[in-house]
Each structure stands twice: as C-alpha cells, then as structure tokens.
Amino acid sequence: MPTPRTDADNLLTPSEVAALFRVDPKTVTRWAKAGKIGSIRTLGGHRRFRESEVMELLGAEVSE
C-alpha cells in the first residue's frame, strides 16, 4: 500500500526546479544523474523531484 503524500512531498518537474535554481532543466537532470539531487521516476520515465528536498538544497545554497 503506497504511503499517502503530504504537502511537503509535492513533486516538481525539472523545469520547476531549474527555475528555482536559475539553471537550465538539463542541468537539473545532470545533477540527478550524478546523485547531487534525489529524483523519482514516473511510470512514463519522467523525473520528478520532492519539493521538500529541493527547498532544503535551495536554503543550503542561499546560506553559503
């Protein structure tokens, strides 16, 4: 039985993540392939990113 998603588990597309980091969507895909950011694959093979993880990384980048 799948676990219910919470608001913190919203999924973002590579384009949405790229807009937050101000990079190209292909860069986000490369980060996912390199293991720098976690991703989930949909049944169609598309990547999705957990909003909570993205916001955590974005906060870490801002504070550096």
Side-chain angles (χ1 to χ4, degrees):
M1 178 180 211
T3 57
R5 285 182 32 199
T6 63
D7 288 335
D9 271 347
N10 287 335
L11 298 178
L12 302 175
T13 65
S15 295
E16 292 170 329
V17 175
L20 291 170
F21 283 98
R22 295 187 174 110
V23 297
D24 191 83
K26 291 287 186 184
T27 301
V28 176
T29 301
R30 282 194 296 271
W31 290 346
K33 285 182 181 178
K36 294 181 179 182
I37 185 171
S39 67
I40 298 168
R41 290 291 190 127
T42 66
L43 293 176
H46 300 278
R47 290 185 191 273
R48 295 293 181 262
F49 302 90
R50 285 192 171 89
E51 184 177 28
S52 57
E53 181 181 352
V54 170
M55 293 303 168
E56 185 178 311
L57 289 171
L58 192 59
E61 181 181 282
V62 171
S63 64
E64 288 180 354

